[in-house]
Amino acid sequence: MGPDLINGIPAHVLFVHFVVILVPLTALALILCAALPSVMRRFGLALPALALVSLISVPLTTNAVRKHTELGEELLPWVVALFLAATAVWWFYHHTAHRTPEAGGSTSTVAIPLRITAAVLSLVIGVGAGVQVYRIGESGAKAAWHDAYSSTAHSNRD
């Protein structure tokens, strides 16, 4: 799906930085936007756009190299969830802000439980994605530092 080398440098080494930065950043942005309408007003369409870039970066990175890919492929569902939640939070905010422009984002009795639910769901997805990025990074670092690349992830820990 993606290139193996870019100017002689392994593509995975370059792409992995996008994932390591963008996925946790997207998770944090999603949590803040879901919990705080003032942050959502500032982010606007940038929230689902950031989530989409994160989503695209995961398959590019995992397909650039076939080392520790089992863990890498387990990140994709988390980032799909980040994208879907980011889009839903943006859509809900955009929809309610246009229905009640004087309220600056509705704080009605319906909006508050929905916002709390979105914030909790965003927190779960964000933490899950962050933990998975950490697990993948740890696996790759161990492989690089111990020269122990394998085609599958190791299930047991040292």
Side-chain angles (χ1 to χ4, degrees), residues 22-56:
L22 286 179
V23 172
L25 182 65
T26 302
L28 180 61
L30 173 60
I31 293 164
L32 291 173
C33 287
L36 305 168
S38 62
V39 175
M40 184 62 234
R41 271 192 295 280
R42 290 190 175 117
F43 263 84
L45 191 56
L47 178 64
L50 180 63
L52 180 60
V53 172
S54 295
L55 178 59
I56 291 168

Side-chain angles (χ1 to χ4, degrees), residues 18 69 87 99 111 152 154:
F18 286 112
T69 56
T87 302
R99 290 184 76 195
T152 61
H154 297 285

